[in-house]
Structure formats: structure tokens, C-alpha cells
Amino acid sequence: MAVKHSPTNEIHKGSKGGTTGCGFDTTEHPEHWKSTNERLTCNKNGCKN
């Protein structure tokens, strides 16, 4: 599953209500995060590999 960060339009590995692969907490400002099936765009460790 992936989540999209709406202010940056970056797509991270993870799920809403948890933590992304690279460590962002999606429970902080939950209105900024949406579940998506789009391709990952985050190049940070944990999301890309």
C-alpha cells in the first residue's frame, strides 16, 4: 500500500494511520495523507528499497 502526502504530492510506502517506510508519522496532520495505488515517488531509504 502507498500513501500520498498532499502538500508535496510525494507518494510513500506505508499506510494511513501509521508510519511511512522512510519514517513520516501519518497520524500527524492526517488530512495531508491519502491512501493511493499510485507508483512510489519517495527516494528515501525505507520507501524505495
Side-chain angles (χ1 to χ4, degrees), residues 1-4 10-15 34-41:
M1 181 56 92
V3 286
K4 185 174 190 173
E10 203 163 37
I11 300 168
H12 299 267
K13 182 179 182 180
S15 60
K34 283 188 179 166
S35 295
T36 183
N37 289 325
E38 294 178 61
R39 195 165 170 241
L40 300 178
T41 59

Side-chain angles (χ1 to χ4, degrees), residues 3-12 24 32-33 41 44:
V3 286
K4 185 174 190 173
H5 187 240
S6 56
T8 63
N9 283 326
E10 203 163 37
I11 300 168
H12 299 267
F24 284 110
H32 289 181
W33 298 96
T41 59
K44 295 180 183 156

